[in-house]
């Protein structure tokens, strides 16, 4: 609940100076942007207290942003070369980056990523109207936006928004996944909502039921408040027993792990009942242009997580750039060709791959960090990562790094190619993870981010369910661990089906963890197998959903309403 706020997303800035703009005005723009960037850094420092090294890294960024060489260079390009502010900033940082990358020592060369991060802070301040708002101006607001990117979601989270209404986009996009991980109620495909002139009006957003009530009556507000209070009480009750093991009534053990985005709060994840991190998405660290782009800073982050969860697994997925997540700053891909994603991108940009694997190995002092390879379509891709890992390991041990351990390596099964290579991949890998979102997308040939054909996108499609059964059946003849990630794992309606299909490890959104573990304790494995058999025999996704919803309502009665306990982004 909150007032609506229409915000403008970032837009490209012209690289030429309008005739009416003077060098004095452009210089004033830079000074304003510099001030805003420094304020943003101070805010990040105050919010991130878990990482002892984080403030020192941010202090380094502040020094770079106020460095005499940087500021004088920008001033020169504005007053002597007639450039606009953005072009002057870009050229200055490009030249500084080239000088640093040519330095004789690797330690200095690594600082090119700090330059990229600092430029990004300035670029955000210059190019974005949406983020020039002070955080308290958007705090508690329900923001209306055209189509949010993952970067937008990160900044909305930092601003403390109450909810998000998006005119375009899909609840299966990576922006939606990130919104759910931050527990921000989000409504997608609210077409033409910006044309209604709703800025400043009070509203109630119910993401679970995909409704937005404008100017609610007192009765509607009281009902919403009462429902929210009931949900809070129910969640507190479930969370109180969430640290207990998830075991079916007839004794089948199901491991429930957490998905994590950005620098996660390990204490909060453990309190939610996480039995490890089944999927740590590193791409959102890159999208923030944070200190985690640096090898040593990534090592600190991974190391803190590993220490907090030891001996439980922390599964770090290598950068899954591409698609609707974009590419990290500092590469040549504004919009890469179709299919340049995951491990394909990393093998094309190996400096990122080497940096990530180095950080993981250095952090693996508790022997519980695993490397997960995204978007695998070829056995050779796994072998390439294994060769690079061995090369880095050999180099580090030669340098007498002590107390580190060789990481386990696994592959994401999220493409038909990987599905049909299961036998070979299972022999190459220490574990497997299933990405249900992409597996559904590529099996059904439906773009998960496009709301035009969302009625065709369903992980309940029998073809997807049969693929899952094929993967889970691997566990019958091997001790290979197989974890299901993706939105399907977090959907309470699917829990009994997944257990019946043979799923033994779920990696879910932390907010869903207490209710899912409670549901598993109420299941009978034999009955779950019978339900799975019925679902596999259905003709289409809709008949599977009808079957599952009916069964779910028969078994479980969470008084706040089942819908509100599903995905928070509708």
């Amino acid at each position: 609940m909150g007032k609506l706020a229409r915000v403008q997303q970032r837009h490209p800035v012209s690289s030429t100076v309008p005739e009416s703009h003077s060098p004095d005005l452009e210089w004033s723009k830079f000074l304003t942007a510099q001030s805003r960037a420094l304020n943003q850094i101070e805010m990040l420092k105050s919010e991130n207290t878990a990482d002892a090294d984080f403030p020192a890294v941010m202090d380094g960024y502040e020094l770079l942003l106020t460095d005499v060489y940087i500021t004088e260079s920008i001033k020169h390009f504005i007053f002597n070369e007639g450039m606009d502010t953005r072009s002057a900033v870009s050229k200055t940082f490009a030249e500084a980056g080239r000088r640093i990358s040519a330095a004789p020592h690797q330690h200095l060369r690594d600082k090119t990523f700090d330059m990229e991060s600092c430029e990004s802070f300035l670029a955000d301040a210059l190019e974005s109207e949406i983020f020039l708002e002070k955080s308290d101006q958007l705090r508690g607001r329900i923001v209306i936006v055209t189509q949010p990117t993952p970067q937008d979601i990160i900044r909305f989270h930092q601003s403390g928004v109450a909810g998000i209404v998006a005119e375009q986009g899909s609840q299966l996009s990576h922006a939606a996944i990130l919104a759910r991980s931050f527990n921000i109620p989000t409504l997608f495909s609210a077409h033409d909502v910006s044309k209604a002139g709703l800025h400043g009006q009070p509203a109630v957003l119910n993401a679970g039921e995909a409704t937005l009530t404008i100017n609610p009556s007192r009765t509607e507000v009281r009902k919403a408040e009462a429902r929210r209070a009931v949900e809070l009480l129910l969640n507190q009750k479930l969370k109180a027993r969430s640290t207990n093991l998830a075991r079916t009534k007839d004794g089948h053990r199901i491991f429930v792990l957490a998905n994590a985005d950005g620098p996660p709060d390990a204490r909060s994840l453990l309190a939610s009942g996480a039995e490890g991190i089944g999927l740590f998405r590193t791409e959102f660290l890159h999208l923030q242009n944070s200190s985690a782009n640096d090898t040593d800073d990534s090592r600190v982050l991974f190391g803190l997580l590993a220490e907090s969860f030891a001996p439980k697994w922390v599964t770090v997925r290598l950068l899954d750039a591409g698609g609707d997540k974009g590419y990290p700053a500092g590469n040549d891909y504004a919009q890469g060709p179709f299919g340049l994603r995951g491990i394909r991108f990393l093998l094309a940009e190996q400096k990122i791959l080497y940096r990530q694997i180095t950080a993981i190995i250095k952090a693996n002092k508790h022997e519980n960090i695993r490397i997960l390879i995204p978007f695998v379509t070829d056995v050779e891709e796994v072998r390439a990562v294994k060769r690079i890992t061995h090369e880095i390991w050999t180099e580090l041990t030669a340098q007498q790094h002590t107390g580190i351990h060789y990481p386990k390596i696994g592959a994401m099964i999220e493409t038909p190619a990987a599905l049909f290579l299961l036998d070979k991949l299972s022999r190459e890998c220490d574990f497997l993870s299933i990405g249900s979102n992409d597996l559904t997308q590529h099996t059904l040939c439906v773009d998960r981010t496009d709301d035009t054909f969302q009625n065709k996108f369903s992980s309940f499609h029998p073809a997807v369910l049969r693929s899952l059964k094929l993967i889970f059946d691997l566990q019958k003849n091997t001790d290979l661990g197989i974890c299901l990630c993706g939105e399907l794992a977090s959907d309470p309606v699917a829990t009994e089906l997944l257990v019946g299909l043979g799923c033994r490890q779920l990696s879910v959104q932390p907010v869903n963890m207490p209710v899912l573990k409670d549901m598993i304790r109420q299941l009978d494995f034999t009955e779950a197998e019978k339900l799975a058999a019925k679902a596999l025999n259905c003709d289409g996704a809709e008949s599977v959903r009808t079957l599952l919803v009916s069964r779910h309502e028969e078994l479980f009665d969470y008084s706040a309403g089942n819908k509100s306990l599903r995905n928070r982004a509708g």
Side-chain angles (χ1 to χ4, degrees):
M1 293 182 285
K3 288 186 177 181
L4 293 164
R6 175 65 175 147
V7 291
Q8 300 296 320
Q9 289 175 271
R10 67 175 61 197
H11 56 277
V13 173
S14 173
S15 59
T16 59
V17 184
E19 291 182 5
S20 59
H21 284 196
S22 67
D24 287 330
L25 181 58
E26 294 301 316
W27 178 243
S28 176
K29 283 183 182 180
F30 164 71
L31 294 177
T32 302
Q34 182 190 49
S35 176
R36 285 170 175 157
L38 291 170
N39 289 337
Q40 173 74 1
I41 288 173
E42 284 299 322
M43 185 179 72
L44 289 172
K45 284 166 62 176
S46 65
E47 290 179 350
N48 192 323
T49 58
D51 187 346
D53 293 331
F54 187 79
V57 175
M58 291 292 103
D59 288 343
Y61 288 178
E62 288 177 335
L63 288 173
L64 278 173
L65 286 172
T66 56
D67 181 77
V68 174
Y69 168 81
I70 296 292
T71 54
E72 287 300 316
S73 176
I74 292 171
K75 190 173 185 178
H76 167 79
F77 287 128
I78 288 175
F79 283 95
N80 297 341
E81 303 290 338
M83 290 186 180
D84 66 294
T85 310
R86 184 66 188 91
S87 298
V89 168
S90 178
K91 190 169 181 62
T92 294
F93 278 90
E95 289 189 355
R98 280 194 294 270
R99 290 186 181 186
I100 292 175
S101 62
H105 301 294
Q106 182 62 44
H107 174 72
L108 291 174
R109 293 198 296 272
D110 287 342
K111 294 304 175 183
T112 54
F113 303 107
D114 290 341
M115 301 298 295
E116 293 165 4
S117 297
C118 289
E119 182 185 2
S120 183
F121 275 112
L122 280 175
D124 279 350
L126 282 167
E127 295 180 5
S128 173
E129 295 176 26
I130 188 174
F131 305 126
L132 300 187
E133 301 272 10
K134 294 181 179 178
S135 61
D136 57 354
Q137 291 179 305
L138 292 181
R139 188 171 300 279
R141 295 292 192 101
I142 299 173
V143 298
I144 300 175
V145 66
T146 303
Q147 184 171 3
T149 65
Q151 294 96 320
D152 295 334
I153 300 298
I154 290 169
R155 291 173 173 85
F156 284 146
H157 169 64
Q158 292 172 343
S159 297
V161 302
I164 302 169
V165 178
E167 291 185 284
Q168 302 171 24
S170 162
Q171 62 180 341
L172 296 162
S173 67
H174 287 95
I177 292 172
L178 196 55
R180 281 190 285 275
S181 73
F182 289 140
N183 202 22
I184 305 174
T186 305
L187 179 65
F188 285 88
S189 300
H191 300 294
D192 298 327
V193 68
S194 65
K195 298 178 181 178
L198 302 176
H199 183 87
Q201 296 190 41
V204 174
L205 170 60
N206 185 332
E209 295 184 352
T211 60
L212 179 68
T213 306
I214 312 299
N215 290 318
S217 65
R218 290 184 179 179
T219 301
E220 287 173 321
V221 170
R222 284 196 294 268
K223 284 182 178 179
E225 289 174 338
R227 178 166 183 170
R228 190 163 64 178
V230 171
E231 282 190 27
L232 180 62
L233 180 62
L234 174 61
N235 287 333
Q236 288 175 339
K237 287 182 177 180
L238 292 174
K239 196 169 183 178
R241 54 180 183 265
S242 66
T243 55
N244 299 338
L245 298 180
R247 198 186 300 273
T248 64
K249 290 191 295 186
D250 46 351
H252 288 262
R253 177 82 161 89
I254 310 297
F255 293 86
V256 183
L257 301 92
N259 294 336
D261 307 299
D265 183 347
R267 286 174 296 182
S268 176
L269 293 178
L270 287 166
S272 296
E275 299 178 76
I277 294 182
L279 178 62
F280 180 43
R281 302 182 180 98
T282 58
E283 54 269 21
F284 296 121
L285 298 176
H286 286 262
L287 290 175
Q288 292 182 79
N289 292 307
S290 73
S291 60
N293 286 330
D294 181 85
T295 300
D296 289 335
D297 297 314
S298 295
R299 173 188 57 79
V300 172
L301 174 61
F302 299 154
L304 288 172
L305 275 178
E307 183 177 5
S308 299
F309 276 90
K312 301 180 179 72
W313 289 116
V314 172
T315 307
V316 177
R317 185 173 70 184
L318 299 173
L319 178 66
D320 187 14
D324 65 324
K325 287 173 286 189
Y327 297 96
N331 64 79
D332 297 328
Y333 304 104
Q335 182 177 359
F338 175 77
L340 185 64
R341 250 196 70 182
I343 187 57
R344 294 176 181 175
F345 172 79
L346 290 173
L347 291 175
E349 298 284 329
Q350 291 198 14
K351 63 180 181 180
I352 299 176
L353 180 58
Y354 272 81
R355 189 168 68 245
Q356 282 202 307
I357 294 177
T358 300
I360 290 170
I361 294 176
K362 286 183 175 180
N364 195 24
K365 295 187 176 182
H366 296 275
E367 208 171 355
N368 64 330
I369 303 183
R370 306 191 296 185
I371 294 174
L372 181 57
I373 310 170
F375 209 69
V376 172
T377 58
D378 194 302
V379 178
E380 184 52 39
E381 293 166 342
V382 175
R383 291 172 180 159
V385 172
K386 291 171 72 174
R387 284 195 299 270
I388 291 171
T389 303
H390 185 267
E391 176 187 333
I392 294 171
W393 169 263
T394 302
E395 182 179 341
L396 290 176
T397 51
Q399 295 171 0
Q400 298 184 337
H401 281 266
T402 58
I404 58 176
H405 298 276
Y406 202 89
K408 302 285 188 183
I409 297 176
M412 289 288 289
I413 307 299
E414 51 190 341
T415 65
L419 181 66
F420 288 110
L421 291 171
L422 267 178
D423 56 337
K424 293 183 179 295
L425 289 173
S426 63
R427 289 194 291 270
E428 290 287 342
C429 296
D430 298 306
F431 67 98
L432 298 175
S433 291
I434 307 169
S436 64
N437 301 340
D438 278 307
L439 183 61
T440 301
Q441 171 175 267
H442 298 296
T443 299
L444 302 182
C445 300
V446 179
D447 184 355
R448 57 191 276 196
T449 66
D450 188 348
D451 61 353
T452 308
F453 295 103
Q454 282 305 297
N455 61 322
K456 295 291 186 182
F457 187 106
S458 175
S459 295
F460 292 140
H461 193 289
V464 178
L465 299 185
R466 293 183 182 202
S467 298
L468 294 177
K469 183 73 167 76
L470 183 66
I471 300 168
F472 291 137
D473 280 349
L474 270 178
Q475 298 170 127
K476 294 179 180 179
N477 302 313
T478 177
D479 59 355
L480 191 72
I482 301 175
C483 183
L484 176 67
C485 309
E487 298 309 288
L488 182 63
S490 296
D491 189 348
V493 172
T495 302
E496 186 181 17
L497 168 67
L498 295 174
V499 171
L501 288 173
C503 181
R504 297 294 174 267
Q505 296 180 33
L506 294 166
S507 188
V508 306
Q509 299 290 357
V511 68
N512 294 71
M513 197 170 301
V515 69
L516 293 177
K517 294 183 78 172
D518 191 71
M519 288 172 54
I520 290 168
R521 298 185 196 108
Q522 300 178 55
L523 294 177
D524 179 275
F525 182 72
T526 303
E527 293 300 314
E529 282 191 312
K530 292 179 182 178
L531 178 69
K534 289 181 181 178
L536 289 170
N537 199 41
C538 286
D539 293 331
E542 194 55 41
S543 55
V544 173
R545 174 171 284 281
T546 301
L547 171 68
L548 297 183
V549 169
S550 175
R551 175 65 172 170
H552 183 77
E553 293 175 349
E554 174 190 335
L555 284 180
F556 308 107
D557 178 22
Y558 295 105
S559 56
N562 289 326
K563 287 184 179 179
S564 65
L565 292 168
R566 298 181 199 170
N567 292 335
R568 296 284 290 173

